[in-house]
Amino acid sequence: MDALKAFLRHPSGMAGLVLILAVLAVAACAPLLYPESPWEMVAMPFAPPGEDGMWLGADTLGRDVAAGIAHGARVSLLIGVASALAALVIGVTVGALAGYAGGGLDAALMRMTELFQTIPAFVLAILLVATFTPSLATIVATIGAVSWPPLARLTRAEFLRLRRREFVEAAICQGERTARVVFGHVLPNAVSPILVTASLTVASAILIESALSFLGLGDPNMMSWGFMVGSARSSIRQAWWASVFPGLAILLTVLAINLFGEGLSDVLNPRIARRRG
Amino acid sequence: MDRRQFTGGLLAGAASLPLGAGRAAAQARGGTLNVIIQPEPPVLVTALNQQQPTLTLGGKIYESLLKYAPDLTPLPGMAQSWEIAPDGLTYTFRLFPGITFHDGTPMTAQDVVFSCMTLLMETHPRARNTFRRVAKAEAPDPLTVVFTLKEPFAPFLGSFDCTTAPIVPKHVYEGTDFRKNPLNDRAIGTGPFKLKEWVRGSHVHLVRHDGYYRKDEPHLDEIIYRVIPDAASRTLALENGTVQLAQWSDVEFYDIARLKARPNLAVTTTGYEYFAPLQWIEMNNRVAPMNDRRFRQAVMHALDREALAKRVYFGQAKVATGPVASRTKFYDANVRKYEYSLDKAKALLDEMGLKPGAGGKRVEIKFLVPPYGESYQRSAEFYRQSFARVGIDLVLEATDMAGWASRVGNWDYQMTMNLLYQLGDPALGVSRTYVTSNIVKGILFSNTQGYSNPEVDRLFDAAASAIDEKKRQELYTKVQQILVEDVPVAWTLEIEFPIIYDKAFKNVVTTAIGSHETFGAVTKS
Amino acid sequence: MRRAAGIGLAAGAWIVRLVAVVLVIATFNFALVRAAPGDPAQVMAGQSGGADAKLLADLRAEYGLDQPYAVQLARHLGRVMTLDLGTSTQQRRPVLDLIRERLPATLLLTVTAFALALLLGSTLGVMAGLAAGSAADTAFTVVSLVLYAMPVFWLGLMLVLVFSVWLDWLPPFGYGTINARLGPWRQALDLLTYLAMPAASLGAIYLAIYARLMRAAIIEVAQQDFVKTARAKGLTATQIVVGHMLRNALVPVVTVAGMQAGALVGGAVVVETVFAWPGLGRLTFDALLQRDYPVMLGVFLILSVIVILFNLATDLAYRLIDPRMRARSA
């Protein structure tokens, strides 16, 4: 309750939350606002904003940019959240194993994590998506596969810290099973920093997805913001609106999630907030 | 006989054409032409690689025996005259004297025989389709080449342009591994221009071949091919004059109108008659519901091809009527017409029992999008929206070039699109897509959709070996009518690629192969 | 002496790590490509307008595609260790040559972007940190948050829109004016006009990160005793910042810079595509479309090596900057 009150008094965090709710509302209402498919060619190619009843203009094929943005919100949020969840599952599993087990396993897992952090993640993402052909599943799996290392490191650090605490030691002494110790005592106490990092992972996942789609490595059946910018790129001299507005949508969404995540972080664990600067 | 008249006409045509079509402009000598080349070709030896950029660039370096007027009539190339024996089996070419390779060695009939019968047979699938029909090729003297065919093959004389039968030096290639020959880097041909320098990723610099056999040619001093990987930069380079020539898909279709408006630029769609690129939706005829002719006809009716030409190709395309492009020999417009009609499409689908289910959806079909650029992607998006209106749900599948080639070649697809060249004669560029004998797994640009009709096979065979033009026309008209009724593939558009050039240059587009031509006759004023 | 030995030991550990990473990535690359659908022989042959079985077989033999996987892997690793990255299937040239041609462009872009971000970001961060709480500081925070949330490709396009399409100040795409015959100085200047926007869009996000780090570090350092002492001694603000605070505040910046080298290189791939910059990123993208196996593998490997080398550099810089590290090794 205190945390909630503190968050309500956190101006930038609240601004983020309001923006997120706005994006969610657009995503939820997209089928009502634009019942036709966003792929439908409803106007002349390159119709400028305001013409043909389209207040954000039309793209190369005469598709409504505003409809694309509304429907694209669903895709971007879906992929952002799903990929962050995938990264969360991988990262927490690796981090928990390393932090709780320690020793050789810890060393091996951390070497692997380091390796993943060293290599250029986006290049790896391009390689993976291109190799296994772009679809919703491969994109989510790929973003998850390149986004987990920070979550793993954080989880490991939390586990190492909590492992030595009295209540955990006590639980182990009482002969509780490992699974019970991990899920009953350690994980609940590590949830808040993990949650903060996971929320920021959503933002970076949206950015990675948009960059992949921009390069033509998105799911061709889903109208996503990155795809819209990418397909409007070569005609930027004819129709600036087709690349400006979808990009703004990405920017606002990512900004909102970042603000929200940082607000959350300030409220939930000042320790981490300070470390991040 | 018709046959003899035909031959005589050809000879008369050859005799009446003077050397070097640009002689009148001989006073204009010198100048540099900068041309866009995109993507950068892997090699310049057209005998070894036939990608479009290789042919565009290599066309200046490698020449062949003939050229072709825009109406596809043969003109003298390195052969000054030719004769066809009355039985249609023996072709005799007489070469111009004094032709030399860029390394100074004289080019003789032996080089022609070696190129056609040995090297191209191994490295050039399109050339192989012609020269495999040759029983023997001989060089009775250094300036005479005689081909004797196994059986008559009417389009034989249509295979001697510089993209199909480039002549390479025998002394360089004989007995070597052609693809690994170190001299490939030097690209030694007989064309009016020779390679001076190739800076990878940047440009290819060609300069005049002083020993060229057409005494006035080449007029230009040098041609520089510029690699510009980005479409917007290419348009810009034409606008600000850093390059003076662009071809094929160098410029995005929607930029063409802007370039047309420039007073110093000329935009033409001639110079593609030999290729006459024809685009279609390819449907795997083995897979239900596409194995039903009524479904394929419904696809034809469901597509507003006029709108496709306008929206995606910005007017640089024309609705196709059937398997033969309108600029190709033996085209016949008198075939069944498929007008845009959603009702007719729905009626056909209803008739075959493909009833609409929830949300009006009748069937879901996977469409493999060819990874060859934005206009393919946009076409696919256009098809998806069009077909959805009659209850055919297209699910687009993205892929890379290898994936596309492998899946289409191995028949592992439901629907895709394709663009094929007609190569001047239905026997060279059309029949390959429809005859049963060309259903070959693993080979791209064959009868990959698996259409088979014995009557069509018979007609194509008869038309290829018939020599009489009227007879051929009859056979091809018949086959076009049958095919349009059967719709093995759904022909969409004849793409009219542009050639865009600075008006200071003359004689840029003179033949049916346009920007692939040797450019010996091009002048700068 | 002992300090030099410490650095030597660290360098040794880095070399071992480099080799290990190269081997792991080479193996991973190999597995990835073999797991992929599609047959490389098909595309090589298919593009020339059709192919027969003999040509396909020839191509498979030429590139070793018909060997068992184990043999291919052993060969692959052996070659990688001798810096033989194979031959491009599309361009038929050694991959190392292709990379060598493209590397300067990528290095120019990434190093410029990084330097720009570090210098400008640190400066802005210091200024904001010293003026913490002011209106300028708030504006700075907002701008850095926006930059941090901006998709790099979109920022690039917006720069093109403003500076090329609308203002017509800078060339929109490319790597130097085509066919320009300029002297060395003019040529460098010409290249600079092409470099400005790609470097700015790649560097922007790091500029925001470094500036925020610097700002926080300055605020933190300002609380510490040695700064208070210095102030008491009557040193000017500039003297304090340059002489005492900067070095301490740089530590987190350098640490983060090292950690983000991979992301910087990844961003370069996108930026190179936006601006038609002929570097390794553009090479990777073209290779992917054509499934040019050797090029894909080679570029990924080389980019990883660059990142590790960059890590090494920041690690050394870290040792030089951080007084505590120096004290420890002394």
Side-chain angles (χ1 to χ4, degrees):
Chain A
M1 255 353 259
D2 285 346
L4 184 64
K5 269 186 200 157
F7 190 85
L8 287 175
R9 268 182 271 117
H10 194 288
S12 59
M14 278 306 287
L17 181 62
V18 169
L19 266 175
I20 291 175
L21 291 176
V23 176
L24 280 173
V26 169
C29 298
L32 301 172
L33 292 170
Y34 298 99
E36 269 195 276
S37 156
W39 297 96
E40 201 57 57
M41 292 156 281
V42 291
M44 279 317 290
F46 302 130
E51 210 168 274
D52 280 357
M54 280 169 307
W55 56 289
L56 294 184
D59 73 356
T60 26
L61 282 178
R63 293 178 295 223
D64 188 346
V65 173
I69 289 178
H71 285 266
R74 301 163 80 89
V75 175
S76 288
L77 290 179
L78 173 69
I79 291 184
V81 172
S83 321
L85 281 177
L88 195 66
V89 170
I90 306 173
V92 169
T93 310
V94 171
L97 275 175
Y100 196 84
L105 186 60
D106 180 26
L109 287 175
M110 280 303 108
R111 275 288 119 77
M112 187 176 84
T113 310
E114 256 173 44
L115 177 73
F116 262 89
Q117 275 194 310
T118 307
I119 56 179
F122 186 67
V123 182
L124 177 62
I126 293 181
L127 277 178
L128 285 172
V129 173
T131 306
F132 296 105
T133 66
S135 70
L136 180 64
T138 54
I139 291 169
V140 167
T142 294
I143 300 179
V146 302
S147 307
W148 61 268
L151 282 160
R153 296 187 84 120
L154 177 73
T155 308
R156 173 178 174 270
E158 289 295 307
F159 269 60
L160 278 179
R161 184 173 65 85
L162 292 166
R163 180 80 169 76
R164 308 266 167 266
R165 298 281 282 273
E166 291 89 9
F167 65 92
V168 178
E169 302 263 345
I172 296 172
C173 282
Q174 281 165 12
E176 284 191 34
R177 279 184 304 139
T178 310
R180 235 190 101 80
V181 177
V182 169
F183 291 107
H185 301 286
V186 183
L187 204 52
N189 285 289
V191 155
S192 59
I194 293 176
L195 209 65
V196 169
T197 309
S199 73
L200 295 173
T201 308
V202 175
S204 72
I206 290 177
L207 281 177
I208 297 178
E209 187 277 331
S210 71
L212 286 173
S213 296
F214 173 77
L215 295 178
L217 292 172
D219 185 323
N221 297 294
M222 297 197 302
M223 179 64 85
S224 92
W225 294 335
F227 163 81
M228 293 174 74
V229 180
S231 70
R233 171 185 176 265
S234 54
S235 55
I236 193 165
R237 278 143 61 94
Q238 280 88 348
W240 54 267
W241 49 88
S243 41
V244 168
F245 296 121
L248 266 181
I250 304 172
L251 170 62
L252 282 180
T253 308
V254 172
L255 182 64
I257 298 172
N258 281 343
L259 288 174
F260 173 76
E262 287 183 11
L264 210 60
S265 162
D266 286 346
V267 171
L268 289 180
N269 39 84
R271 191 173 49 84
I272 296 216
R274 241 195 49 208
R275 201 193 296 155
R276 207 190 51 246
Chain B
M1 283 294 294
D2 282 337
R3 194 185 303 152
R4 198 166 285 162
Q5 276 164 8
F6 172 49
T7 315
L10 277 181
L11 281 171
S16 67
L17 266 145
L19 269 187
R23 177 168 281 173
Q27 69 277 15
R29 199 181 159 101
T32 302
L33 174 63
N34 288 279
V35 193
I36 292 172
I37 195 77
Q38 174 57 30
E40 185 169 20
V43 290
L44 300 183
V45 187
T46 49
L48 300 180
N49 179 291
Q50 294 87 41
Q51 294 177 20
Q52 174 258 312
T54 312
L55 297 179
T56 302
L57 216 166
K60 317 295 166 281
I61 301 174
Y62 294 94
E63 211 174 337
S64 191
L65 301 188
L66 302 175
K67 300 179 186 227
Y68 299 90
D71 66 356
L72 300 169
T73 314
L75 304 172
M78 290 199 291
Q80 53 179 321
S81 65
W82 51 93
E83 284 160 36
I84 308 169
D87 60 1
L89 287 176
T90 307
Y91 288 71
T92 306
F93 294 90
R94 301 206 189 283
L95 307 179
F96 279 112
I99 304 177
T100 58
F101 283 106
H102 298 153
D103 65 357
T105 317
M107 201 271 318
T108 71
Q110 289 293 345
D111 293 297
V112 177
V113 171
F114 171 79
S115 298
C116 297
M117 302 313 299
T118 307
L119 194 134
L120 294 174
M121 280 295 281
E122 187 179 323
T123 59
H124 193 325
R126 195 138 66 70
R128 192 185 311 121
N129 181 36
T130 293
F131 294 112
R132 69 186 167 86
R133 300 165 200 269
V134 172
K136 63 175 193 240
E138 296 156 304
D141 66 69
L143 296 181
T144 309
V145 187
V146 183
F147 291 99
T148 310
L149 305 191
K150 294 171 186 158
E151 57 178 341
F153 183 57
F156 186 73
L157 209 53
S159 300
F160 287 94
D161 70 295
C162 66
T163 73
T164 314
I167 303 305
V168 298
K170 182 182 181 185
H171 65 275
V172 167
Y173 286 100
E174 192 173 34
T176 68
D177 182 339
F178 305 141
R179 289 194 174 81
K180 287 184 180 154
N181 192 311
L183 288 174
N184 286 339
D185 285 345
R186 290 202 19 222
I188 299 165
T190 58
F193 295 93
K194 61 181 180 184
L195 176 66
K196 184 182 175 205
E197 185 191 30
W198 182 359
V199 180
R200 308 261 176 178
S202 170
H203 64 270
V204 181
H205 189 171
L206 305 182
V207 293
R208 146 204 311 281
H209 170 35
D210 284 320
Y212 195 55
Y213 65 98
R214 297 180 182 228
K215 284 305 165 222
D216 297 328
E217 296 185 10
H219 300 289
L220 296 174
D221 286 334
E222 52 180 1
I223 304 180
I224 302 174
Y225 279 91
R226 303 278 172 192
V227 182
I228 310 179
D230 176 76
S233 309
R234 292 197 289 273
T235 304
L236 195 74
L238 274 170
E239 283 178 318
N240 67 21
T242 39
V243 300
Q244 297 94 33
L245 171 63
Q247 55 268 316
W248 292 94
S249 51
D250 288 344
V251 168
E252 291 280 353
F253 290 107
Y254 49 71
D255 279 334
I256 293 171
R258 201 167 75 238
L259 294 172
K260 262 185 194 156
R262 296 232 149 204
N264 65 321
L265 293 180
V267 180
T268 175
T269 54
T270 59
Y272 292 99
E273 294 81 4
Y274 186 78
F275 304 102
L278 181 64
Q279 192 169 67
W280 61 69
I281 298 177
E282 190 162 319
M283 294 172 278
N284 195 332
N285 286 202
R286 306 166 186 86
V287 180
M290 290 170 290
N291 53 2
D292 189 319
R293 181 170 89 171
R294 288 167 296 184
F295 182 86
R296 305 195 298 263
Q297 290 172 337
V299 163
M300 289 293 274
H301 280 302
L303 200 61
D304 184 354
R305 294 178 292 165
E306 293 284 353
L308 176 71
K310 248 187 256 157
R311 246 175 223 281
V312 179
Y313 294 91
F314 289 80
Q316 296 290 135
K318 185 171 130 179
V319 171
T321 59
V324 179
S326 60
R327 290 195 272 187
T328 303
K329 274 189 201 163
F330 309 116
Y331 166 76
D332 198 324
N334 183 25
V335 291
R336 175 172 170 172
K337 299 279 183 292
Y338 291 91
E339 75 279 13
Y340 173 51
S341 164
L342 298 181
D343 291 336
K344 284 195 178 166
K346 283 180 194 159
L348 280 161
L349 295 172
D350 284 339
E351 187 194 318
M352 62 184 282
L354 214 54
K355 300 283 186 213
K361 176 172 156 182
R362 296 170 197 265
V363 62
E364 184 178 291
I365 287 173
K366 292 194 178 117
F367 187 97
L368 195 62
V369 186
Y372 292 104
E374 290 187 24
S375 56
Y376 283 88
Q377 176 70 32
R378 289 192 205 111
S379 299
E381 287 162 14
F382 187 96
Y383 301 153
R384 180 175 55 192
Q385 291 318 110
S386 306
F387 295 162
R389 293 189 194 106
V390 295
I392 303 172
D393 255 28
L394 283 198
V395 176
L396 304 190
E397 289 181 282
T399 183
D400 53 81
M401 293 180 193
W404 186 80
S406 153
R407 288 188 54 190
V408 175
N410 291 300
W411 315 336
D412 174 23
Y413 72 100
Q414 296 189 347
M415 201 185 266
T416 184
M417 63 190 286
N418 215 336
L419 177 91
L420 258 73
Y421 299 160
Q422 302 265 306
L423 309 176
D425 191 295
L428 295 175
V430 178
S431 63
R432 56 178 175 165
T433 310
Y434 309 101
V435 296
T436 311
S437 60
N438 209 23
I439 302 180
V440 197
K441 203 167 191 165
I443 306 296
L444 212 52
F445 309 124
S446 59
N447 184 351
T448 40
Q449 77 275 7
Y451 171 77
S452 179
N453 181 338
E455 176 66 2
V456 167
D457 295 346
R458 195 189 61 75
L459 288 167
F460 269 127
D461 272 355
S465 52
I467 298 179
D468 176 54
E469 297 269 305
K470 228 188 276 164
K471 178 79 188 144
R472 292 190 77 199
Q473 180 66 64
E474 252 169 53
L475 294 164
Y476 280 127
T477 295
K478 190 88 194 295
V479 85
Q480 284 175 74
Q481 284 164 348
I482 298 174
L483 284 172
V484 173
E485 204 63 46
D486 275 355
V487 200
V489 300
W491 306 280
T492 49
L493 300 173
E494 295 178 17
I495 309 295
E496 302 192 311
F497 289 103
I499 293 177
I500 304 164
Y501 61 95
D502 192 313
K503 287 176 183 161
F505 292 86
K506 305 289 178 217
N507 295 329
V508 176
V509 183
T510 53
T511 71
I513 62 170
S515 61
H516 290 331
E517 195 45 76
T518 58
F519 279 12
V522 175
T523 59
K524 186 184 182 187
S525 58
Chain C
M1 277 309 285
R2 236 189 273 161
R3 190 175 153 205
I7 289 184
L9 211 63
W14 272 104
I15 290 170
V16 171
R17 193 173 154 199
L18 188 66
V19 172
V21 167
V22 166
L23 281 178
V24 171
I25 289 181
T27 309
F28 169 81
N29 271 346
F30 179 86
L32 178 79
V33 165
R34 264 60 189 181
D39 172 3
Q42 271 283 346
V43 82
M44 285 181 251
Q47 288 225 329
S48 56
D52 58 25
K54 180 184 178 298
L55 179 57
L56 291 176
D58 280 357
L59 289 166
R60 287 197 183 98
E62 194 175 336
Y63 291 100
L65 300 170
D66 52 356
Q67 300 282 321
Y69 282 166
V71 176
Q72 288 187 43
L73 176 63
R75 251 206 227 169
H76 175 66
L77 292 183
R79 286 216 209 109
V80 166
M81 290 327 278
T82 55
L83 273 183
D84 174 4
L85 300 179
T87 311
S88 157
T89 57
Q90 286 302 307
Q91 307 203 27
R92 306 256 172 153
R93 299 175 56 219
V95 173
L96 203 62
D97 286 3
L98 291 173
I99 292 179
R100 216 179 276 146
E101 282 166 12
R102 304 297 193 99
L103 190 59
T106 295
L107 285 181
L108 180 63
L109 174 63
T110 45
V111 170
T112 311
F114 175 70
L116 210 70
L118 193 63
L119 292 177
L120 218 62
S122 304
T123 314
L124 287 174
V126 168
M127 285 161 61
L130 291 177
S134 68
D137 177 43
T138 312
F140 161 84
T141 303
V142 171
V143 169
S144 62
L145 276 170
V146 169
L147 281 183
Y148 188 64
M150 206 175 269
V152 62
F153 58 89
W154 186 72
L155 174 58
L157 278 181
M158 292 307 101
L159 291 178
V160 168
L161 193 59
V162 173
F163 293 103
S164 303
V165 179
W166 290 342
L167 297 175
D168 200 16
W169 287 354
L170 292 169
F173 313 98
Y175 186 61
T177 302
I178 298 165
N179 207 15
R181 285 166 185 151
L182 306 167
W185 283 108
R186 291 284 303 283
Q187 201 175 353
L189 208 67
D190 175 63
L191 186 59
L192 211 60
T193 61
Y194 283 89
L195 176 62
M197 291 196 292
S201 32
L202 180 59
I205 188 169
Y206 302 99
L207 188 148
I209 295 172
Y210 302 154
R212 292 192 77 196
L213 280 172
M214 201 61 170
R215 174 182 174 277
I218 288 284
I219 292 173
E220 196 174 314
V221 172
Q223 311 300 319
Q224 286 178 10
D225 291 340
F226 70 95
V227 176
K228 288 180 183 157
T229 319
R231 212 169 271 149
K233 280 197 279 187
L235 295 177
T236 66
T238 316
Q239 279 172 320
I240 296 173
V241 169
V242 175
H244 298 273
M245 292 164 77
L246 204 54
R247 168 165 275 167
N248 288 285
L250 263 176
V251 171
V253 173
V254 169
T255 313
V256 170
M259 279 164 55
Q260 282 173 333
L264 185 73
V265 169
V269 174
V270 184
V271 170
E272 286 180 8
T273 311
V274 174
F275 290 97
W277 191 259
L280 290 177
R282 181 91 206 184
L283 184 66
T284 314
F285 189 67
D286 293 343
L288 274 166
L289 284 181
Q290 302 173 325
R291 179 82 31 104
D292 192 335
Y293 286 169
V295 174
M296 284 157 63
L297 302 180
V299 175
F300 185 44
L301 188 79
I302 294 294
L303 286 179
S304 303
V305 169
I306 291 175
V307 170
I308 294 168
L309 291 176
F310 189 79
N311 277 335
L312 172 61
T314 54
D315 194 52
L316 291 176
Y318 188 76
R319 280 161 195 278
L320 294 175
I321 294 168
D322 191 344
R324 277 160 298 177
M325 290 290 282
R326 286 165 91 187
R328 213 177 296 155
S329 55

